[in-house]
Short mmCIF file of all heavy atoms in Angstrom, two decimals:
data_model
loop_
_atom_site.label_atom_id
_atom_site.label_comp_id
_atom_site.label_asym_id
_atom_site.label_seq_id
_atom_site.Cartn_x
_atom_site.Cartn_y
_atom_site.Cartn_z
N PHE A 38 -3.76 8.06 4.26
CA PHE A 38 -3.74 8.80 2.93
C PHE A 38 -3.60 10.29 3.18
O PHE A 38 -2.95 11.02 2.39
CB PHE A 38 -5.01 8.52 2.20
CG PHE A 38 -5.08 7.11 1.63
CD1 PHE A 38 -6.14 6.23 2.01
CD2 PHE A 38 -4.17 6.67 0.76
CE1 PHE A 38 -6.20 4.97 1.49
CE2 PHE A 38 -4.15 5.38 0.22
CZ PHE A 38 -5.19 4.52 0.53
N SER A 59 -7.83 -1.98 1.30
CA SER A 59 -8.48 -3.31 1.65
C SER A 59 -8.18 -3.63 3.08
O SER A 59 -7.23 -3.14 3.66
CB SER A 59 -7.95 -4.38 0.70
OG SER A 59 -6.58 -4.56 0.80
N ARG A 73 -1.25 3.22 -3.07
CA ARG A 73 -1.36 4.46 -3.83
C ARG A 73 -0.48 4.36 -5.09
O ARG A 73 0.69 4.00 -4.96
CB ARG A 73 -1.00 5.69 -2.96
CG ARG A 73 -0.80 6.98 -3.80
CD ARG A 73 -0.68 8.18 -2.89
NE ARG A 73 -2.02 8.51 -2.33
CZ ARG A 73 -2.27 9.59 -1.67
NH1 ARG A 73 -1.29 10.51 -1.47
NH2 ARG A 73 -3.42 9.86 -1.18
N LEU A 92 9.90 11.59 2.53
CA LEU A 92 9.60 10.62 3.57
C LEU A 92 10.48 10.86 4.82
O LEU A 92 10.00 10.71 5.95
CB LEU A 92 9.87 9.17 3.01
CG LEU A 92 8.83 8.67 2.05
CD1 LEU A 92 9.29 7.33 1.40
CD2 LEU A 92 7.45 8.49 2.68
N ARG A 119 7.84 3.72 10.17
CA ARG A 119 7.61 4.82 11.10
C ARG A 119 6.52 4.41 12.11
O ARG A 119 5.43 4.09 11.69
CB ARG A 119 7.10 6.10 10.35
CG ARG A 119 7.09 7.34 11.24
CD ARG A 119 6.45 8.55 10.51
NE ARG A 119 4.96 8.35 10.46
CZ ARG A 119 4.20 9.30 10.00
NH1 ARG A 119 4.65 10.48 9.56
NH2 ARG A 119 2.83 9.12 9.94
N ASP A 125 6.30 0.61 1.57
CA ASP A 125 7.11 0.16 0.43
C ASP A 125 6.99 1.21 -0.64
O ASP A 125 5.87 1.62 -1.02
CB ASP A 125 6.58 -1.14 -0.14
CG ASP A 125 6.91 -2.30 0.81
OD1 ASP A 125 6.94 -2.11 2.04
OD2 ASP A 125 7.09 -3.47 0.32
N CYS A 133 5.04 1.22 -21.52
CA CYS A 133 4.83 1.79 -22.82
C CYS A 133 3.55 1.32 -23.42
O CYS A 133 2.95 2.13 -24.25
CB CYS A 133 6.01 1.49 -23.73
SG CYS A 133 7.57 2.09 -23.13
N ARG A 176 8.54 -10.06 11.59
CA ARG A 176 8.68 -11.26 12.44
C ARG A 176 9.98 -11.98 12.15
O ARG A 176 10.51 -11.88 11.07
CB ARG A 176 7.48 -12.21 12.18
CG ARG A 176 6.13 -11.49 12.32
CD ARG A 176 5.03 -12.36 11.73
NE ARG A 176 3.79 -11.58 11.62
CZ ARG A 176 2.68 -11.98 10.98
NH1 ARG A 176 2.79 -13.17 10.28
NH2 ARG A 176 1.61 -11.30 10.86
N THR A 181 16.53 -22.80 10.15
CA THR A 181 16.75 -24.12 9.52
C THR A 181 17.86 -24.91 10.19
O THR A 181 18.53 -25.72 9.49
CB THR A 181 17.11 -23.92 8.02
OG1 THR A 181 18.19 -23.12 7.90
CG2 THR A 181 15.89 -23.24 7.31
#
Side-chain angles (χ1 to χ4, degrees):
F38 288 122
S59 60
R73 167 169 288 190
L92 288 173
R119 192 187 74 174
D125 289 31
C133 297
R176 306 166 191 168
T181 56

